Amino acid sequence: MNQKLSSSQVNKHLPVYFENVSKKIAGTNQYISIIVPEKGSEISKYISLRNRSSGQKINLNGRGIVISEKLTKLLNLSIGNELSLVTTNGKKVKLPIGNICEMYMGHYVLMSSGVYRKYFGRKAIKMLN
């Protein structure tokens, strides 16, 4: 991986922790991608996080997770609610929703490394460097 990242074909990259979890919603397993960038302030260089209605830019902060809009609609959730997940190692977590972002493909939960550590009880180890 490091060899590919240092090639001339890659301009820049951001180390992230990435995990896919599944959640049964209306009788169907939906897959949710959890993304925790090493430096939350740099995520905007790679993913445009914004509110669909206002167009306002969304930053990762220590107040909670950023969740994709479609997932909030499927689960009937809003800012201030909690998203309940079971991780791949069986840990149950309730994550406070700090913001909702426009995202058209898949279901995503993004958070700062501090939020991850607070709710998962461990450091987010980089899986993708």
Side-chain angles (χ1 to χ4, degrees):
M1 177 70 85
N2 286 335
Q3 184 180 9
K4 289 187 184 275
L5 290 174
S6 60
S7 80
S8 62
Q9 296 175 328
V10 177
N11 294 338
K12 58 185 176 178
H13 69 279
L14 178 66
V16 299
Y17 171 79
F18 180 87
E19 180 178 350
N20 268 323
V21 298
S22 67
K23 183 171 181 70
K24 191 162 268 194
I25 303 171
T28 304
N29 274 337
Q30 299 285 330
Y31 294 95
I32 302 167
S33 299
I34 298 172
I35 299 175
V36 184
E38 185 175 77
K39 295 180 181 174
S41 61
E42 294 191 17
I43 193 74
S44 63
K45 294 177 183 176
Y46 303 89
I47 301 173
S48 176
L49 297 176
R50 65 185 185 103
N51 178 285
R52 183 183 53 80
S53 301
S54 69
Q56 185 175 6
K57 181 181 171 185
I58 296 172
N59 294 310
L60 300 182
N61 57 45
R63 291 189 299 260
I65 64 170
V66 174
I67 184 172
S68 53
E69 183 177 15
K70 184 176 178 183
L71 185 56
T72 61
K73 289 182 179 182
L74 286 172
L75 294 169
N76 196 31
L77 295 172
S78 58
I79 294 173
N81 293 151
E82 292 181 326
L83 170 66
S84 297
L85 293 177
V86 178
T87 65
T88 52
N89 65 0
K91 181 176 174 92
K92 295 178 184 178
V93 293
K94 289 187 177 188
L95 304 167
I97 299 173
N99 225 318
I100 299 169
C101 70
E102 176 179 37
M103 189 79 62
Y104 294 103
M105 293 187 61
H107 304 303
Y108 290 88
V109 169
L110 298 100
M111 66 190 86
S112 69
S113 58
V115 169
Y116 183 89
R117 189 172 36 258
K118 179 177 180 179
Y119 292 97
F120 288 78
R122 62 187 168 102
K123 185 178 177 182
I125 306 295
K126 292 184 290 191
M127 293 183 78
L128 300 175
N129 190 11

